[in-house]
Amino acid sequence: MQKGRWLVIFLCFLAVAINYIDRANLAVAAPYIQKELGLGSGQMGLLLSGFFWTYALMQMPFGWFVDKVGARIALPLAVAWWSLFTAATAAASSLASMFGCRLMLGVGEAGAYPSCAKIVSQWFDVKERGFATSIFDSGSRVGSALSIPLVALIIELWGWRASFIITGAVGLIWVVGWFLIYKEPQAVAAIEQHEAVKAATLAARPKVKWASLFRHRTLWGMMLGFFCLNFVIYFFITWFPTYLVTERGFSLKSLGTLGTIPAVASIVGGWIGGLTSDALYRRGWSLTAARKTCIVGGMLMSSSISLSVFVDSTWAMLGFFSLAYASLAFAGASIWCLPADVAPSPAHVASIGGIQNFASNTAGIFITTFTGFMLVIGNGSFTAPLLTAGAFALLGAFSYLFIVGKIEPFSTTPEDAAPLDVSAAAQRT
């Protein structure tokens, strides 16, 4: 069981890394796409936001779907879908066709995080979920870091269209590997025993209505807080390469080297965040104190992104961006533990993950379009977007500290419960 579950988490890590390469390749290719298709900054902002519309809207239905069919089927289905539309982007010849591909990309990518959160809740005890979560979540930073040099190299060798074909093909290879590998740990006797215990637990609990989850203040605090975190973090995934090229004068070569420093720092920050949360809990801190200390502390430190506006030194600028990105990742490891921590039953983990991720990814729509139009209004200056990002980091810290309540499973009332179906509960497990 020990080796099998870490192999599963590694596969989740790879899926999330591919997820972020496929969504971030447009940001790296943006200057070249703008030149070839004749797009302005406002149009590019709209194009960058296209992915987030469907990605956000599909979070809640995909979370529900994962809880119904299981992550073993839902995750590879999602990866195959988004990989196909990543490759299809290479054929786009206009703003409309590329926007359509980005919309379809968002539909598939919506399944990644709810599936991974579900898998962690099934395979890991609460004392280990922080680090396990930080591993799969660090895939987002690895993907972001790899996307810059990888896509930049492909563009330099074969053009921006080839970058979408190649990155899309990588996802399809992962799908084949998932079905070849994932079956093996499922056959371990310890896993089967774990699944049997979980089925019995589900059968003993009343079925909680999906809509009743929204009655809890903590869920709304999670949604607002995660919105604020992603408002900051999506700057790195969308406009950051353009910022380095247009405002800081980075070449394609320096973009693929120095430009990866903040993403690399965030990988380490995420792992430290997961280990810290688990360590605090094992040392006797309450789950609330362990999770909130990491989340609120990370959000407060991430506001340092605004300080990059006031420095001329390239290294100082990269230092502030690295601190901000690492702090966001530090908080993110605990944020993605929350769905399993507060779910009223194991059958609601992916649903809550999808709900909070829906809210968080509406931030992607705002930051991409807001930045694009601020560039038009401000004659290409990134000052307003970066100061706004810092303000949202502070608002996120406030939400997790004061709106999110005690970190514990949501209490249920007679109004929350739907009629109990023991056989159906066992089958879903």
Side-chain angles (χ1 to χ4, degrees):
M1 179 176 179
Q2 295 293 328
K3 293 182 179 179
R5 61 182 183 161
W6 291 109
L7 178 59
V8 169
I9 287 300
F10 178 68
L11 290 173
C12 291
F13 161 83
L14 290 178
V16 173
I18 295 168
N19 181 298
Y20 271 72
I21 290 173
D22 287 355
R23 75 172 70 175
N25 54 9
L26 179 64
V28 180
Y32 309 96
I33 294 174
Q34 283 185 268
K35 183 178 180 180
E36 181 173 328
L37 301 185
L39 304 179
S41 294
Q43 291 174 308
M44 198 66 219
L46 177 64
L47 185 57
L48 286 168
S49 75
F51 156 85
F52 295 104
W53 289 95
T54 48
Y55 184 70
L57 288 174
M58 289 301 296
Q59 287 296 321
M60 289 192 282
F62 224 125
W64 174 88
F65 179 72
V66 173
D67 279 329
K68 288 293 182 181
V69 306
R72 182 181 180 274
I73 298 299
L75 183 55
L77 177 64
V79 177
W81 179 280
W82 86 58
S83 298
L84 289 173
F85 281 100
T86 295
T89 307
S93 58
S94 66
L95 175 65
S97 59
M98 186 166 288
F99 190 75
C101 288
R102 296 297 289 184
L103 289 175
M104 291 297 100
L105 174 73
V107 172
E109 292 208 353
Y113 267 85
S115 296
C116 292
K118 180 81 169 183
I119 288 169
V120 168
S121 73
Q122 292 173 322
W123 290 67
F124 290 85
D125 183 80
V126 65
K127 296 179 181 179
E128 299 176 310
R129 285 178 188 163
F131 184 54
T133 299
S134 73
I135 292 177
F136 86 70
D137 187 44
S138 68
S140 65
R141 264 72 70 180
V142 172
S144 298
L146 287 177
S147 68
I148 295 178
L150 177 63
V151 175
L153 176 62
I154 296 173
I155 291 173
E156 186 175 14
L157 293 176
W158 301 297
W160 67 265
R161 295 182 186 276
S163 69
F164 291 95
I165 296 174
I166 293 172
T167 55
V170 171
L172 296 177
I173 294 172
W174 180 94
V175 173
V176 175
W178 172 266
F179 284 115
L180 291 176
I181 297 173
Y182 190 79
K183 296 176 182 178
E184 185 176 351
Q186 280 289 78
V188 177
I191 296 297
E192 293 178 345
Q193 182 180 4
H194 171 78
E195 293 294 311
V197 171
K198 188 182 67 177
T201 302
L202 271 176
R205 298 183 180 185
K207 180 182 177 182
V208 178
K209 292 183 290 188
W210 184 88
S212 70
L213 298 172
F214 290 93
R215 296 180 180 177
H216 300 274
R217 186 190 74 179
T218 288
L219 182 61
W220 289 100
M222 290 164 57
M223 293 168 68
L224 174 60
F226 208 5
F227 173 93
C228 294
L229 181 138
N230 266 8
F231 190 93
V232 187
I233 212 167
Y234 275 131
F235 179 83
F236 290 94
I237 300 168
T238 56
W239 281 104
F240 184 58
T242 300
Y243 166 80
L244 294 179
V245 171
T246 61
E247 186 146 320
R248 294 288 179 167
F250 275 39
S251 65
L252 189 61
K253 181 179 180 180
S254 58
L255 180 64
T257 53
L258 296 179
T260 64
I261 291 176
V264 172
S266 72
I267 297 169
V268 179
W271 292 342
I272 294 174
L275 288 170
T276 302
S277 180
D278 288 343
L280 292 176
Y281 183 66
R282 285 196 298 266
R283 291 183 180 183
W285 290 44
S286 69
L287 191 60
T288 301
R291 299 289 194 240
K292 284 195 175 186
T293 296
C294 294
I295 295 172
V296 175
M299 292 295 293
L300 290 174
M301 290 297 293
S302 69
S303 64
S304 60
I305 191 173
S306 294
L307 298 179
S308 62
V309 171
F310 305 105
V311 296
D312 295 325
S313 167
T314 296
W315 288 107
M317 175 271 296
L318 288 174
F320 285 126
F321 274 113
S322 297
L323 176 60
Y325 208 175
S327 299
L328 293 166
F330 184 91
S334 292
I335 287 173
W336 271 108
C337 290
L338 295 181
D341 293 337
V342 304
S345 80
H348 294 86
V349 174
S351 294
I352 293 176
I355 291 169
Q356 74 164 8
N357 217 25
F358 159 75
S360 73
N361 282 283
T362 58
I365 301 171
F366 283 96
I367 186 64
T368 49
T369 53
F370 172 76
T371 300
F373 285 110
M374 284 297 101
L375 291 177
V376 174
I377 296 172
N379 296 318
S381 173
F382 280 85
T383 299
L386 290 172
L387 292 176
T388 303
F392 269 97
L394 297 177
L395 177 60
F398 174 89
S399 180
Y400 281 111
L401 185 60
F402 296 109
I403 301 178
V404 173
K406 187 176 181 181
I407 307 301
E408 61 183 2
F410 292 159
S411 60
T412 58
T413 65
E415 291 77 17
D416 296 334
L420 179 62
D421 186 343
V422 174
S423 61
Q427 288 174 2
R428 282 195 302 276
T429 311

